[in-house]
Amino acid sequence: MAYSVRELLARLIKCEAGGEGENGMKGVASVIMNRVNVAAGEYLRTGQGDVRKVIFQAGQFDCATSVLSGVANPQTIWASPPEQIHYDIADWAIAGNRLYTVGESLWYFNPFLPGCPNEFPFNGSGTFQVSVVNHCFYNPTALYYKTR
């Protein structure tokens, strides 16, 4: 059985940021929906405004793949069902809400170090916007909009 968009988003929120509190989870949901709604660049081409395509784009979300570096991934969207808070945040994001502090961020990651690098991805297509709990969030630069 295929999961609904709401279910997929709730599962990804839980897997990617379940331990980050409400704002951390909302930040992740905001990035996903920013990619769905982006006006240009790689994510418009690959995602085409489709939540499923955004979530399952190769190499983007570790939680959406069952194998990482040739080893079974124990932490996936299939491994742990979401709770009500994850559905609530998915509904919040699908309704058009965004965590204002993440702005137009298209990327996030946990550097597992104090502080966030100024650029991510490291090709210069994203610039640091804000840190929310353990994740760093990045807005697209002009270079991103040149990606195809």
Side-chain angles (χ1 to χ4, degrees), residues 73-89:
N73 181 6
Q75 185 177 347
T76 68
I77 60 174
W78 304 282
S80 181
E83 299 161 25
Q84 189 59 49
I85 184 68
H86 307 111
Y87 289 114
D88 292 346
I89 292 171

Side-chain angles (χ1 to χ4, degrees), residues 3-126:
Y3 291 132
S4 69
V5 165
R6 178 183 188 243
E7 180 77 16
L8 280 173
L9 187 54
R11 284 175 176 268
L12 191 67
I13 290 164
K14 180 179 183 183
C15 186
E16 292 281 329
E20 300 282 316
E22 187 173 335
N23 278 346
M25 292 185 286
K26 284 182 173 181
V28 165
S30 296
V31 165
I32 295 162
M33 296 310 293
N34 284 347
R35 288 183 182 191
V36 168
N37 296 308
V38 72
E42 174 190 1
Y43 296 121
L44 175 63
R45 179 182 56 79
T46 59
Q48 302 170 344
D50 184 324
V51 173
R52 288 177 193 282
K53 288 181 180 178
V54 167
I55 289 174
F56 292 113
Q57 181 186 355
Q60 298 301 303
F61 300 106
D62 288 349
C63 288
T65 185
S66 57
V67 176
L68 289 174
S69 302
V71 177
N73 181 6
Q75 185 177 347
T76 68
I77 60 174
W78 304 282
S80 181
E83 299 161 25
Q84 189 59 49
I85 184 68
H86 307 111
Y87 289 114
D88 292 346
I89 292 171
D91 292 340
W92 171 88
I94 290 167
N97 297 295
R98 302 292 174 271
L99 189 65
Y100 75 93
T101 56
V102 304
E104 299 299 317
S105 292
L106 295 177
W107 305 274
Y108 65 85
F109 84 107
N110 182 341
F112 297 100
L113 299 167
C116 297
N118 288 329
E119 292 181 349
F120 183 84
F122 297 110
N123 66 359
S125 60

